């Protein structure tokens, strides 16, 4: 049973039985062959069986009952389900089961959707979603080296794709090989800042006495923004090589 406290999204899942006085529950699945009682909520409107089944199908469950059981076991994040029902996270129902469908990411999903720091996915990348109990959906670059480990651990996969309009900035990483010249780190950092990117972290490692490897963690809007940064850095005379790090 999904319920609401205030606006959105507290959620409780109960087993068989009738609602007790004071319960605020959107849907109750009783022991009488699946009796369902739906409460109306101003941000959800009428929750039909079709809407609930579409969400269950997106998570590859055969029924809404199965989805609710998974929530009760802690294998599905209640706030994610509720926000999908509320429309805060878009569900492309016309493409269910297709890699072009699934959850549409707009960047403003909050704690329900996060982005893997291991690979730094950004808008424009091909991405996959991994459901992690307690964390929600973690979006990874499709070439993230950790994906194989997630599959071995039996974690759930969710089809995700970027929306047309994306909010905010996203973390990614660059490796820059450059000759050892005085002020090189500051020169590269200035070029990155000139493209409107904030630098979150930087590491420098000397390679052979003649050059160094600089690793920047920076914030970008999308792949186009990252490409403009790379183009500017490549124009620095002492820069030997620039490449994005994915994992």
């Amino acid at each position: 049973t999904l319920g609401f406290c205030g606006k959105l999204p507290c959620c409780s899942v109960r087993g068989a039985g009738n609602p007790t006085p004071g319960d605020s529950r959107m849907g109750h699945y009783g022991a009488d062959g699946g009796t369902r009682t739906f409460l109306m909520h101003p941000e959800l409107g009428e929750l039909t069986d079709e809407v609930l089944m579409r969400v269950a199908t997106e998570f590859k469950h055969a029924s809404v009952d199965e989805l609710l059981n998974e929530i009760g076991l802690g294998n599905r994040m209640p706030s994610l389900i509720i926000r999908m029902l509320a429309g805060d996270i878009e569900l492309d129902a016309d493409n269910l089961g297709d890699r072009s469908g699934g959850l549409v990411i707009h960047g403003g999903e909050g704690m329900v959707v996060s982005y893997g720091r291991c690979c730094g996915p950004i808008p424009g990348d091909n991405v996959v979603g991994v459901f992690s109990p307690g964390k929600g959906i973690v979006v990874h670059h499709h070439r993230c080296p950790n994906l194989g480990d997630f599959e071995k651990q039996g974690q759930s996969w969710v089809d995700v794709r970027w929306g047309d309009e994306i909010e905010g900035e996203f973390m990614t990483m660059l490796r820059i090989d450059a000759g050892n010249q005085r002020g090189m780190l500051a020169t590269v950092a200035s070029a990155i800042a000139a493209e409107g990117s904030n630098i979150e972290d930087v590491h420098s490692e000397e390679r052979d006495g003649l050059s160094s490897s600089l690793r920047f963690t920076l914030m970008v809007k999308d792949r186009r923004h990252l490409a403009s940064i790379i183009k500017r850095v490549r124009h620095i005379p002492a820069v030997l090589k620039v490449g994005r790090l994915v994992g």
Side-chain angles (χ1 to χ4, degrees):
T1 299
L2 299 178
F4 298 91
C5 299
K7 277 195 171 182
L8 278 177
C10 88
C11 174
S12 61
V13 180
R14 301 173 185 248
N18 293 319
T20 58
D23 279 350
S24 175
R25 294 197 250 169
M26 176 194 72
H28 167 66
Y29 286 68
D32 55 352
T35 299
R36 306 178 182 193
T37 303
F38 296 107
L39 301 182
M40 300 298 291
H41 190 279
E43 295 196 29
L44 292 181
E46 183 178 359
L47 291 169
T48 64
D49 286 358
E50 180 183 1
V51 171
L52 291 169
M53 192 60 205
R54 274 158 46 190
V55 174
T57 302
E58 176 62 25
F59 284 98
K60 297 178 173 59
H61 293 303
S63 67
V64 176
D65 290 327
E66 186 176 305
L67 172 61
L68 294 177
N69 286 335
E70 287 294 292
I71 296 172
L73 292 171
N75 296 328
R76 296 294 180 200
M77 195 170 184
S79 56
L80 172 64
I81 305 299
I82 293 173
R83 292 193 66 181
M84 286 178 67
L85 291 171
D88 292 340
I89 300 176
E90 183 179 340
L91 177 62
D92 192 345
D94 293 333
N95 294 297
L96 286 174
D98 191 310
R99 290 294 302 183
S100 65
L103 293 180
V104 182
I105 307 168
H106 296 287
E109 292 82 6
M111 295 181 66
V112 175
V113 177
S114 59
Y115 305 90
R117 296 189 65 84
C118 49
C119 54
I122 60 176
D125 289 340
N126 290 325
V127 289
V128 296
V130 178
F131 178 80
S132 179
K135 293 183 179 179
I137 291 176
V138 183
V139 178
H140 291 268
H141 192 284
H142 77 288
R143 291 193 290 106
C144 177
N146 292 328
L147 291 180
D149 292 334
F150 297 143
E151 187 171 11
K152 291 177 183 177
Q153 294 167 11
Q155 297 198 38
S156 300
W157 299 78
V158 180
D159 289 345
V160 296
R161 63 184 176 86
W162 300 104
D164 295 330
E165 297 183 5
I166 310 294
E167 299 177 12
E169 296 184 330
F170 300 81
M171 185 210 76
T172 192
M173 295 158 284
L174 282 182
R175 173 176 169 172
I176 301 168
D177 295 337
N180 284 340
Q181 294 187 8
R182 181 175 296 178
M184 177 53 59
L185 179 59
T187 300
V188 173
S190 177
I192 293 173
E195 290 294 329
S197 173
N198 289 324
I199 297 171
E200 298 290 306
D201 193 21
V202 60
H203 290 279
S204 176
E205 180 181 346
E206 189 170 309
R207 299 177 61 194
D208 52 14
L210 299 176
S211 63
S212 296
S213 177
L214 307 175
R215 297 190 176 212
F216 285 87
T217 301
L218 59 154
M219 305 298 293
V220 299
K221 296 177 181 178
D222 50 30
R223 285 174 63 92
R224 183 177 297 180
H225 187 194
L226 178 62
S228 66
I229 293 170
I230 292 174
K231 182 177 180 180
R232 181 180 285 264
V233 170
R234 280 179 176 156
H235 284 141
I236 300 173
V239 168
L240 306 173
K241 184 179 180 181
V242 184
R244 182 181 174 190
L245 294 174
V246 178

